[in-house]
Amino acid sequence: MVNFLIFGPPGSGKGTQSVRLAEKFNLLHLSTGDMLRAEITAGTDLGKKMSLIMSKGELVPDEVVIEMIAVKIDSTKGKAGFLFDGFPRTVAQTVALEKMLNERGMKIDSMLVLDVDHDELVKRLIARAELSGRPDDKDPKVIENRIDVYREKTEPIIDYCSKKGLYQPVNGVGSIDDIFVRLAEHMSKIVR
Ligand code: AP5
Ligand code: MG
């Protein structure tokens, strides 16, 4: 099994690239953002509780997303491993993920970090707002808050993973095809 984190600020292209990479490398793509939005769409109690937090661009509590991943962690049947997108988002979530993987004889094999400048992120998310219907894309202040929350709470994971030799920065600006090639090149070195 081989397990990747696809990492980067809001709008860096994690979701766009994950769909294609998961197919190419036969990985199970797990996006906690997609799972949470599915809860909201389905009108579950959890979805109702989380929707306000998400619409402000704040992080939902660690235990909520850790539990979501915990129920999926034994679903790799027929897959080469996991591609985690938008999870972990705090160091506490990273430690919890490592524990879940280690208990199953697995580990985080690489962290691919999409590097995209601030103005490009904002441009992409504002452009998406109309299409996505995502409340967190609609208000430029919420977009800025999402980026601030990433810098403050999520970026420290890069330091944590760097110390373990897992950090792989990737230029996330350019065409979707070119970025895919850059990511796939790094992943090919790990997936044998
Ligand atoms: P989440 O769903 O993870 O959203 P996010 O990180 O804010 O980022 P996005 O999904 O908006 O961006 P992306 O990097 O996937 O880029 P995409 O490919 O879509 O989280 C949402 C919320 O859920 C959080 O704020 C939080 O409340 C909660 N949450 C989720 N996980 C959590 C966790 N683990 N812990 C706590 N809370 C959690 O691309 C963006 C746009 O750009 C698209 O329109 C795309 O078409 C376009 N695009 C992509 N690539 C390019 C390119 N190369 N050139 C031009 N445009 C491009
Ligand atoms: Mg996404």
Side-chain angles (χ1 to χ4, degrees):
M1 290 288 165
V2 63
N3 301 301
F4 293 96
L5 308 184
I6 186 148
F7 210 84
S12 57
K14 302 183 293 293
T16 304
Q17 298 293 341
S18 290
V19 173
R20 300 177 60 169
L21 292 166
E23 196 187 340
K24 180 173 172 67
F25 294 103
N26 186 32
L27 301 168
L28 185 65
H29 171 210
L30 290 184
S31 157
T32 43
D34 289 349
M35 290 179 204
L36 287 161
R37 281 185 290 278
E39 294 282 339
I40 294 173
T41 305
T44 64
D45 286 346
L46 182 69
K48 282 177 194 143
K49 280 189 205 142
M50 298 306 131
S51 71
L52 183 62
I53 302 176
M54 290 172 69
S55 68
K56 291 184 193 159
E58 295 294 326
L59 296 183
V60 309
D62 284 340
E63 54 274 21
V64 169
V65 283
I66 291 168
E67 178 57 26
M68 286 183 149
I69 294 296
V71 299
K72 298 275 185 189
I73 202 93
D74 292 314
S75 327
T76 43
K77 200 160 173 266
K79 295 283 177 188
F82 290 107
L83 179 57
F84 294 100
D85 157 12
F87 178 89
R89 254 179 156 96
T90 60
V91 172
Q93 290 179 24
T94 316
V95 172
L97 176 63
E98 283 184 310
K99 184 166 180 285
M100 282 188 259
L101 292 173
N102 292 345
E103 282 168 359
R104 289 162 177 81
M106 299 189 280
K107 59 181 173 31
I108 298 168
D109 290 281
S110 184
M111 171 202 223
L112 300 147
V113 183
L114 289 166
D115 189 12
V116 179
D117 59 88
H118 174 273
D119 291 357
E120 173 71 13
L121 297 173
V122 174
K123 197 172 92 187
R124 289 183 191 177
L125 294 175
I126 286 177
R128 187 178 64 181
E130 296 301 317
L131 302 169
S132 72
R134 275 176 57 167
D136 59 348
D137 283 348
K138 280 212 181 82
D139 181 348
K141 284 200 206 90
V142 173
I143 291 179
E144 291 297 343
N145 189 45
R146 285 160 66 194
I147 297 171
D148 288 349
V149 167
Y150 172 81
R151 301 286 174 222
E152 189 189 325
K153 297 192 171 143
T154 304
E155 223 168 34
I157 304 173
I158 295 182
D159 199 34
Y160 178 87
C161 285
S162 286
K163 290 182 179 136
K164 300 184 177 217
L166 301 174
Y167 171 53
Q168 180 59 64
V170 177
N171 179 0
V173 180
S175 76
I176 290 172
D177 285 346
D178 286 349
I179 298 162
F180 175 72
V181 170
R182 288 173 205 152
L183 290 161
E185 198 184 320
H186 289 297
M187 290 169 74
S188 305
K189 292 180 195 154
I190 295 173
V191 183
R192 299 266 172 212

